[in-house]
Amino acid sequence: MAAFSRESGDKPVRVTGRRARKVEGGVFFPKPENAVTIAVSSRVLFRTEREQKVFEQKGVEEYLRYQIEHENEPFAPGPAFPFVKALEAVNARLRELYPQSEELFDIVLVTYNHAHVGIRLINTINHHNLFIERFCMTGGSSPIGYLKAWQTNLYLSADASKVREALTEGIAAATMFMPEKVTEVSDSQLRVAFDGDAVLFSDESERIFKAHGLDKFFEHEKENEDTLLDHGPLKGFLEALGKLQKKFYAKGQRLNCPIRTYLVTARSAASSGIRALKTLRAWGLEVDEALFLAGAPKGPMLEKIRPHIYFDDQMFHVEGAAEMGTIAAHVPYGIAQNYKAKTNTTVGK
């Protein structure tokens, strides 16, 4: 059944979102200033490797022809798909508790594709029963300006250059990768794991370690134990998650909250972890679990956590996580970008 929205004026506007929540006969869409907006590239939400090869080998016209010919064939889920499904599960719980609230996750599909490809994308979204009504099809142009207009809280893409551009503009962003094996994740609780330095925090301490070694790093952290770390590129996203978590806490659902956050860091607890925890407390932010690994591999811990997404600034850790089946995303920020890592991870393009 078709729904109608009256947000554009007195005249009803036909909307194709049959799964949208109805309010007083209209469709409820949160305003960008109230929502937690997640912009997702079509190349990480779905598997589009075959189509990408057509584009690279035969050019844009053949690519468009191919997409139109196959527009009734849905794309398979990509690395961001479980994350998006988990966002929708959280929204369902929020709507039960706060029927009139606009404080929800709002998912925007961002793609360089021509509008002709939109039909296949819409067919795919309907096939997988996703609630994504906001599209941004740029026809090859940069989407960054649109991300700012949407007041985007997080941008996920397969295009590392656009991710770097978004970070430069102050938008939390990460490049997603498709592991060769994928660990099954929860369908009722959103789990998000963060590295610390150069992700939640600045790369100040990482710079000390890279330039002067581990002993100098420990010395620096001890001397600055009561000095707050500066914020990193994903601090705002953790803050947005915490804001939604508190809505569940206010209803007595702390122990049954459908959002769970993790700090997974190579820092040591006693020698350098206290500064990280004091910084989070001073910011008024919480993580549900904090793992200080003292340089141990992160992959095995992430395999136990089973996050929908893990953010790290170092490709070495991203690849280690992917090898264990974790969906990992690279935050190309800070001093670590000057150091090379392995290159055997499959990119989710």
Side-chain angles (χ1 to χ4, degrees), residues 10 92 143 173 192 204 213 237 245 253 267 291 298 326-327:
D10 294 334
V192 183
E204 166 207 325
F237 180 53
Q245 282 181 307
Q253 296 194 18
R267 284 175 175 256
L291 281 70
K298 297 181 179 182
T326 296
I327 299 291

Side-chain angles (χ1 to χ4, degrees), residues 57-128:
Q57 297 173 3
K58 299 184 179 180
V60 64
E61 297 303 325
E62 187 60 32
Y63 169 80
L64 290 174
R65 187 179 299 108
Y66 181 91
Q67 291 281 31
I68 292 170
E69 289 175 353
H70 294 81
E71 64 186 20
N72 292 319
E73 300 173 15
F75 294 113
F81 189 90
F83 176 64
V84 168
K85 292 291 286 185
L87 298 179
E88 294 188 347
V90 174
N91 276 353
R93 291 278 301 276
L94 284 168
R95 288 175 179 133
E96 291 173 1
L97 297 174
Y98 302 92
Q100 303 301 320
S101 177
E102 292 191 10
E103 293 181 322
L104 301 161
F105 289 112
D106 191 18
I107 303 156
V108 179
L109 184 67
V110 178
T111 174
Y112 298 117
N113 274 303
H114 189 281
H116 284 324
V117 183
I119 294 175
R120 188 177 187 190
L121 290 170
I122 292 170
N123 287 339
T124 299
I125 285 169
N126 289 334
H127 172 80
H128 291 294

Side-chain angles (χ1 to χ4, degrees), residues 38 83 153-157 163 167 172-177 190-200 233-235 237-238 241 261-265 298 302 307-315 317-318 321 326-332:
I38 311 297
F83 176 64
N153 296 92
L154 177 68
Y155 172 49
L156 299 174
S157 176
V163 167
L167 289 170
T175 311
M176 289 202 78
F177 299 89
L190 170 66
R191 298 176 186 174
V192 183
F194 300 88
D195 182 28
D197 296 289
V199 176
L200 293 179
L234 264 69
K235 180 242 186 179
F237 180 53
L238 175 62
L241 292 176
T261 56
Y262 304 79
L263 173 65
V264 182
T265 174
K298 297 181 179 182
L302 291 167
H308 293 86
I309 191 167
Y310 167 62
F311 298 99
D312 203 296
D313 67 304
Q314 299 191 52
M315 281 301 302
H317 293 305
V318 170
T326 296
I327 299 291
H330 180 230
V331 182

Side-chain angles (χ1 to χ4, degrees), residues 89-298:
V90 174
N91 276 353
R93 291 278 301 276
L94 284 168
R95 288 175 179 133
E96 291 173 1
L97 297 174
Y98 302 92
Q100 303 301 320
S101 177
E102 292 191 10
E103 293 181 322
L104 301 161
F105 289 112
D106 191 18
I107 303 156
V108 179
L109 184 67
V110 178
T111 174
Y112 298 117
N113 274 303
H114 189 281
H116 284 324
V117 183
I119 294 175
R120 188 177 187 190
L121 290 170
I122 292 170
N123 287 339
T124 299
I125 285 169
N126 289 334
H127 172 80
H128 291 294
N129 200 33
L130 297 173
F131 178 32
I132 302 176
E133 294 292 349
R134 288 176 166 146
F135 275 36
C136 184
M137 292 176 279
T138 67
S141 300
S142 173
I144 303 304
Y146 298 110
L147 298 181
K148 297 178 74 173
W150 284 116
Q151 301 182 40
T152 300
N153 296 92
L154 177 68
Y155 172 49
L156 299 174
S157 176
D159 189 331
S161 65
K162 288 297 175 284
V163 167
R164 288 191 292 269
E165 185 180 347
L167 289 170
T168 300
E169 293 295 326
I171 300 168
T175 311
M176 289 202 78
F177 299 89
M178 189 74 197
E180 293 184 4
K181 69 171 185 175
V182 179
T183 300
E184 185 176 346
V185 293
S186 173
D187 58 4
S188 60
Q189 183 181 62
L190 170 66
R191 298 176 186 174
V192 183
F194 300 88
D195 182 28
D197 296 289
V199 176
L200 293 179
F201 313 120
S202 73
D203 68 339
E204 166 207 325
S205 300
E206 185 73 20
R207 287 179 177 274
I208 298 295
F209 170 68
K210 295 293 188 185
H212 304 290
L214 192 59
D215 289 342
K216 197 69 175 178
F217 166 78
F218 287 144
E219 181 182 328
H220 176 268
E221 293 302 292
K222 184 65 176 176
E223 291 174 353
N224 292 276
E225 181 179 301
D226 295 318
T227 301
L228 299 184
L229 289 157
D230 198 0
H231 68 84
L234 264 69
K235 180 242 186 179
F237 180 53
L238 175 62
E239 192 171 28
L241 292 176
K243 182 179 178 181
L244 294 184
Q245 282 181 307
K246 288 176 181 176
K247 293 176 74 69
F248 291 100
Y249 301 167
K251 296 290 188 178
Q253 296 194 18
R254 177 180 283 270
L255 298 180
N256 190 33
C257 182
I259 303 173
R260 194 164 184 85
T261 56
Y262 304 79
L263 173 65
V264 182
T265 174
R267 284 175 175 256
S268 304
S271 56
S272 58
I274 191 168
R275 189 182 182 196
L277 294 178
K278 284 184 175 181
T279 297
L280 290 173
R281 178 188 292 175
W283 287 346
L285 299 182
E286 299 180 32
V287 289
D288 295 293
E289 298 186 30
L291 281 70
F292 295 95
L293 302 184
K298 297 181 179 182

